[in-house]
Amino acid sequence: MTTTQTAATVPATSVASRPAGTKQVGSTGGTTTLGSGATGAAEPAATRGRTSIADTVVVKIAGMAAREIPGVHDMGGGLSRTLGAVRDRVPGGRPNVGRGVKVEVGERQTAIDLDLVVEYGVAITDVAHDVRENVIAAVERTTGLEVVEVNVTVNDVHLPEDDDEAAVSETRVA
């Protein structure tokens, strides 16, 4: 199995447990090729050819799996969320499911970093545990890559009155 890089590599963070030979990817990156790609009529049908998984696929799977967990309000840092809110309001714009997700993908392994905003009142450690379990299960099941770690950073807590302030400011503008 090999990893073919199609975009510039982002410098990896200094985490000692990252898979060897990995690169860090946000919403753009390379492609991981699974399988050697045997050819010929004598080979079983399931092994004829190669399967390539773009790194952005891992980002999207991890982002969707993290958002499925109750208690996760949003993902990404402050600036990322602000830009995402603007993008969501533009007609024809669609939400970025990869916001707040960074991955490092090797030949057979991946490491994932998540930035979360949790709801006020939830147990942060329980939410982080549930997010880790769901992300690992989704990525391993869907891609076949081994997830060696999922680092969760909680950047903010969403308060109930935050929604009230947003509604008031929207009604004041005609």
Side-chain angles (χ1 to χ4, degrees):
M1 293 197 270
T2 60
T3 300
T4 332
Q5 185 176 347
T6 58
T9 301
V10 179
T13 57
S14 59
V15 177
S17 60
R18 295 287 193 207
T22 61
K23 61 184 180 235
Q24 183 172 346
V25 180
S27 58
T28 61
T31 302
T32 299
T33 303
L34 305 173
S36 59
T39 58
E43 295 295 324
T47 62
R48 293 183 200 165
R50 279 181 286 153
T51 301
S52 298
I53 300 173
D55 295 345
T56 56
V57 171
V58 177
V59 169
K60 288 181 179 182
I61 292 168
M64 292 295 293
R67 284 175 171 81
E68 291 174 353
I69 300 303
V72 174
H73 175 74
D74 201 358
M75 295 183 64
L79 180 60
S80 172
R81 288 194 325 266
T82 302
L83 293 175
V86 171
R87 177 186 293 171
D88 293 346
R89 290 179 184 217
V90 172
R94 56 179 206 229
N96 180 4
V97 295
R99 181 175 61 228
V101 181
K102 295 182 187 86
V103 301
E104 293 182 32
V105 180
E107 292 179 12
R108 294 177 302 275
Q109 298 177 325
T110 186
I112 302 168
D113 297 323
L114 302 170
D115 293 330
L116 302 179
V117 177
V118 298
E119 297 286 344
Y120 174 77
V122 299
I124 293 173
T125 54
D126 292 344
V127 171
H129 179 266
D130 293 346
V131 165
R132 276 190 193 91
E133 283 186 342
N134 203 40
V135 167
I136 289 170
V139 170
E140 287 183 348
R141 178 184 66 246
T142 309
T143 66
L145 294 169
E146 176 189 0
V147 178
V148 294
E149 69 181 8
V150 175
N151 297 312
V152 176
T153 302
V154 177
N155 288 325
D156 201 358
V157 174
H158 179 260
L159 303 173
E161 53 267 9
D162 290 346
D163 290 333
D164 297 338
E165 291 174 12
V168 169
S169 66
E170 287 179 19
T171 58
R172 291 174 48 190
V173 178

